[in-house]
Amino acid sequence: MRLLRSDQIRKAASALLRLTAPPAAVLLFSLNGWTQQTADSLPQCLKVKPQAQAAVQPNLPLIPPAGLSQISSQIYWLLRSKPSARFGFVGLQANPVQMDALLAELYTASGFMPHWLGLNGLDRPRADELLALLRHADEDGLNPARYRIADISALLAAKKTEDLARLDLLLTAAMSAYITDMRKGAAASTHFDLSLLAAVRESGGDVPNILKEGLRTAELRRFLERQAPQHQAYRTLKGLLASRRKLEAHDEGGWPKLPDGKKIEPGMTDERLSLLAQRLVSSGDLRTLPPPVYADATKRLRIYDSELVKGVKRFQARHNMEQDGVVGKTTLAALNSPVREQIRKIILSLERWRWLPHQLNGRRIVVNIAGFSLTVMLDEQTELAMPVIVGQDDHQTPIFSQDMSYIELNPYWNVPQSIARKEIVEKMKKDPSYLSRQRIRIFAGWGSGAPEISPAAINWQTIGAGINRYRLRQEPGKGNALGTVKFVFPNRSSVYMHDTPGRNLFQQTRRSLSHGCIRVSQPFELTLHLLQSDGWNVSPERLKKEIASQKPQSYVLHKPVPVHILYLTAVVAEDGSAHFYEDIYGNDAQLAAALQLDSPAGFCWQ
């Protein structure tokens, strides 16, 4: 048998397609120039990557199955045309090829039958339910134009077969995009560092099966509303987004801006005090303007004291600043930060919540890196809250979710290799007694049976990276870097929570000071709460006694506690107050770029 060359195979396939496909489908399949022209006209953020253009749909038969109706045949040929690019969905998902594959799977399973059309044409009530929800996607920080609502609406009265096929795929693609956005997040994961920003994104469930369920459900709107996170933290952020947008729209961009000038301290007079009061009222830090008794004949405030100082302190608390009531450069810059910047932070925080499990029930620990805070939650109630210390900029605490499985009292500290190499070697060069003073022992290897060796056996002047062959272990007790308690939730980053002897560091407002692990300010209270909640018969007196013994001891939790380490620069507290935090790691900037939030087109929406 004679083998055909690859070019002969392509010519034969092309001829076969021309024989079996309807004229419109042949035109659609063969006009690569149209597809390229369309791609070239897209905004830069929607450009198809070369590898995505070259991808093929492996789940589609080479030729349409026999016996297809005219509408099904049109759907088949549309599926072959890379519909996510054709319909303008390129760039809106992490991988447009995956959307094409999903559409191919859905329609292949149905024999290329439409999902939104019946014997009497378009199922208009279902289409209207979808469109009504998509039009309100801005309430979740998403732009409705993202789902090509205008394109869909233009085809709702279509009669031609090819237009109806296009409409059916557009509706399915829009619902697929919405569900994916809600379940996995809208940001393209290829645009940022997954290890820092999206280690929890895989928790969004089985999107293909969720979409199949949505195409079958009789209560579409209720089904789609359930795709958003259902917990209170997400709902209150949505409410805050609505209120900040209303403020921006009704007050010509938001609150008044205070002119630069010398810092304002309690008891001082300043011509900006009236503006300051108006600004604090706008953000809810001051309920009403001070009474006239505080004003001069021109109704300008005369003196900075009383309720106005309290309002500034409330503002400072919500922005993680020192609550001294002084309007200095930092506080003034925060007061003058536009409403638009707060809206941006809210949108980014909503996106991050979509990466997490949508149902957050039971007891859990939430650490907010940007807010330097830890909260123990039971369902929607706060049981315990405290300040924490997180990783420095060059030792960033990663974002992930994991279950806490046990708690160690009086833990050993196995010195990380990077700290041994970069810090301890240098300290030993200057002070040979450093290890003994710190009660750090050296073992010949990392195995459990490795023998102990003397620090004098190592040439610290030349050891360098060779120190990694040895295990350095600090003994429990006074001065131990982990303090008295270690909270363990095994993970790939070897991050855990622990006590610390450096208690004074919790007085600082910007607490990115560790090598990546999380130092808790109330380790005793957290330990007691978790153990008692887990059913351990541990009294405060017993726990104090066990810690005072300086003997290592472990408590394995009967029911592991989920730990969610997050990075949220906008949150709503239980009392309804809005808190905004500094983007300490620059993660907001990365995520905004991935969402094209700051692009001229706006979130890659146009």
Side-chain angles (χ1 to χ4, degrees), residues 238-462:
K238 283 183 62 175
L240 180 62
L241 177 62
S243 66
R244 286 297 188 263
R245 280 177 168 164
K246 183 178 180 180
L247 178 65
E248 183 185 41
H250 290 186
D251 294 341
E252 298 181 354
W255 34 67
K257 185 175 181 179
L258 277 70
D260 292 335
K262 62 182 181 180
K263 65 180 178 181
I264 310 173
E265 299 183 80
M268 292 178 58
T269 59
D270 194 287
E271 62 182 9
R272 296 169 293 174
L273 291 180
S274 294
L275 272 179
L276 175 61
Q278 294 174 34
R279 167 64 181 84
L280 295 173
V281 169
S282 295
S283 57
D285 297 294
L286 202 61
R287 290 186 178 181
T288 59
L289 291 173
V293 69
Y294 288 103
D296 59 18
T298 63
K299 296 185 178 181
R300 289 184 178 180
L301 296 184
R302 295 180 302 172
I303 190 166
Y304 178 48
D305 66 355
S306 189
E307 291 301 313
L308 197 54
V309 175
K310 292 180 183 178
V312 169
K313 288 183 177 181
R314 279 192 287 268
F315 175 87
Q316 291 172 328
R318 293 192 304 106
H319 291 77
N320 195 40
M321 298 177 180
E322 184 180 356
Q323 299 167 45
D324 57 5
V326 176
V327 183
K329 289 183 178 179
T330 303
T331 299
L332 182 64
L335 286 165
N336 284 336
S337 178
V339 178
R340 168 52 49 180
E341 179 59 26
Q342 292 194 358
I343 290 173
R344 182 177 185 269
K345 287 179 180 288
I346 297 168
I347 290 173
L348 295 176
S349 293
L350 286 168
E351 168 72 2
R352 289 185 173 108
W353 276 119
R354 289 190 286 266
W355 299 348
L356 285 164
H358 284 24
Q359 298 286 346
L360 293 174
N361 301 319
R363 182 167 287 105
R364 60 195 180 276
I365 296 173
V366 177
V367 175
N368 184 10
I369 297 170
F372 308 111
S373 65
L374 178 151
T375 307
V376 182
M377 302 286 295
L378 179 61
D379 295 329
E380 298 291 1
Q381 299 299 316
T382 296
E383 294 187 320
L384 195 62
M386 66 189 69
V388 298
I389 291 170
V390 300
Q392 305 166 11
D393 186 59
D394 56 349
H395 293 92
Q396 296 182 9
T397 300
I399 295 171
F400 64 94
S401 293
Q402 192 57 267
D403 288 348
M404 182 186 296
S405 53
Y406 63 98
I407 300 172
E408 291 183 10
L409 303 183
N410 301 311
Y412 293 104
W413 180 46
N414 289 301
V415 181
Q417 291 181 337
S418 61
I419 296 179
R421 183 175 67 254
K422 297 177 182 179
E423 300 180 23
I424 290 184
V425 169
E426 294 304 314
K427 290 178 179 178
M428 285 297 289
K429 288 179 181 180
K430 300 174 182 178
D431 179 9
S433 66
Y434 174 79
L435 287 180
S436 60
R437 287 190 292 102
Q438 296 295 321
R439 297 180 299 105
I440 296 177
R441 300 163 64 185
I442 305 177
F443 297 87
W446 286 84
S448 58
E452 184 177 0
I453 63 174
S454 169
I458 295 176
N459 186 337
W460 295 97
Q461 301 302 320
T462 61

